[in-house]
Amino acid sequence: DQQVKQNSPSLSVQEGRISILNCDYTNSMFDYFLWYKKYPAEGPTFLISISSIKDKNEDGRFTVFLNKSAKHLSLHIVPSQPGDSAVYFCAASEYNFNKFYFGSGTKLNVKP
Amino acid sequence: NAGVTQTPKFRVLKTGQSMTLLCAQDMNHEYMYWYRQDPGMGLRLIHYSVGEGTTAKGEVPDGYNVSRLKKQNFLLGLESAAPSQTSVYFCASSDGTPPGKLFFGSGTQLSVL
C-alpha cells in the first residue's frame, strides 16, 4: 500500500494564477518531505523540501506547507507560468533519509 | 557537466533474458539509488547504496540485483527478465545535503516481451 498519495492525477491552471498541488501520507514516522518536478523524457529534478519541525518553507514562487496532524502537505506555485507545466511528485522519508517514498504524481498544465 | 548518466536509454528484452543497466555519476556522491516508475504508481525504490561496496534493498527488490564496486558506478541487473519488469528505470545520486536532494538520470525505458 502506498505510503505517499497524490489523489489528483492532473490539474489545469491559468497563467498568473495560483497552482496548489496536494499530497497525503500515512506513515507518522516520516520526518522530511520533498517536491520534485519532472518534464517528459527527463529525470525528476528537486524543487523544494521541508523538515517536520517546520510548517512552511518558501523558495521564490514555490511554497510548501506541512500539516503534520492531518498528514498533509501542499505545494503552492504563485504566479504559475507555462514553463511550470510538468509532473510534480511529492516524496517523504523517515529520519535515516536512506529511503524516499514517492507519490504517483500530479500533471500540472498551465495555460497561457 | 554530465551529472548522472544512464545507459542504455532504451532496451527490449525477451522473457528470460538478462541484462545490466549502468548508472554513472561524476559528482562524487556517496548515495546512489535505483527506482522504477510505473503508471499510477509513482517512483518505487528497488535498491540503494550508501557508499562504495554497500547495497541495500528498497521497496521492490525482487528480481533485481545490484553492485557498487566503484563509487561512481551503480549497476542494476536483471537475471531473468519478466514482463512485470517492463518499466522506466531511473538512477539517482545524492551527497545527503540537504537530505533527499537526489540528482536523477534521464531514465531507461525497458520493455520485456
Side-chain angles (χ1 to χ4, degrees), chain A residues 11-20 65 75-80 108:
Chain A
L11 175 68
S12 189
V13 170
Q14 203 68 36
E15 180 179 5
R17 306 294 291 269
I18 184 171
S19 295
I20 300 176
F65 295 92
L75 175 68
H76 292 210
I77 306 174
V78 183
S80 301
L108 173 66

Side-chain angles (χ1 to χ4, degrees), chain A residues 18-61:
Chain A
I18 184 171
S19 295
I20 300 176
L21 296 95
N22 294 305
C23 179
D24 298 294
Y25 61 95
T26 58
N27 187 345
S28 58
M29 298 300 293
F30 283 151
D31 205 42
Y32 205 82
F33 305 88
L34 310 102
W35 285 94
Y36 279 81
K37 179 168 70 173
K38 184 184 180 303
Y39 293 117
E42 295 182 10
T45 55
F46 171 81
L47 195 55
I48 192 169
S49 62
I50 187 168
S51 164
S52 62
I53 62 173
K54 294 185 174 181
D55 55 17
K56 176 183 173 181
N57 188 28
E58 273 184 89
D59 185 1
R61 298 186 295 114

Side-chain angles (χ1 to χ4, degrees), chain B residues 33-49:
Chain B
Y33 308 82
W34 276 106
Y35 285 89
R36 59 178 287 174
Q37 184 189 10
D38 302 294
M41 297 295 291
L43 291 141
R44 291 183 293 168
L45 182 63
I46 305 171
H47 286 280
Y48 65 99
S49 168

Side-chain angles (χ1 to χ4, degrees), chain A residues 1-3 32 34 36 38 41-46 49 87 89 96-105, chain B residues 31 33 35 37 40-45 48 50 57-59 90 98-107:
Chain A
D1 193 28
Q2 283 190 284
Q3 299 187 61
Y32 205 82
L34 310 102
Y36 279 81
K38 184 184 180 303
E42 295 182 10
T45 55
F46 171 81
S49 62
V87 177
F89 293 97
N96 60 13
F97 306 129
N98 285 337
K99 294 182 181 180
F100 298 95
Y101 297 87
F102 283 77
S104 54
Chain B
Y31 305 96
Y33 308 82
Y35 285 89
Q37 184 189 10
M41 297 295 291
L43 291 141
R44 291 183 293 168
L45 182 63
Y48 65 99
V50 298
K57 294 180 179 180
E59 299 173 79
F90 288 100
K101 185 175 181 180
L102 308 183
F103 292 81
F104 282 86
S106 57

Side-chain angles (χ1 to χ4, degrees), chain B residues 16-90:
Chain B
Q17 287 184 319
S18 63
M19 78 162 295
T20 300
L21 281 68
L22 170 64
C23 177
Q25 53 99 359
D26 61 2
M27 296 173 283
N28 201 35
H29 286 170
E30 288 292 337
Y31 305 96
M32 296 189 75
Y33 308 82
W34 276 106
Y35 285 89
R36 59 178 287 174
Q37 184 189 10
D38 302 294
M41 297 295 291
L43 291 141
R44 291 183 293 168
L45 182 63
I46 305 171
H47 286 280
Y48 65 99
S49 168
V50 298
E52 180 179 317
T54 75
T55 62
K57 294 180 179 180
E59 299 173 79
V60 288
D62 295 341
Y64 306 94
N65 56 77
V66 287
S67 64
R68 183 109 181 261
L69 299 179
K70 293 183 178 181
K71 187 177 184 179
Q72 63 268 32
N73 295 337
F74 196 29
L75 306 180
L76 178 70
L78 287 73
E79 289 187 349
S80 180
S84 61
Q85 293 178 304
T86 294
S87 188
V88 180
Y89 292 85
F90 288 100

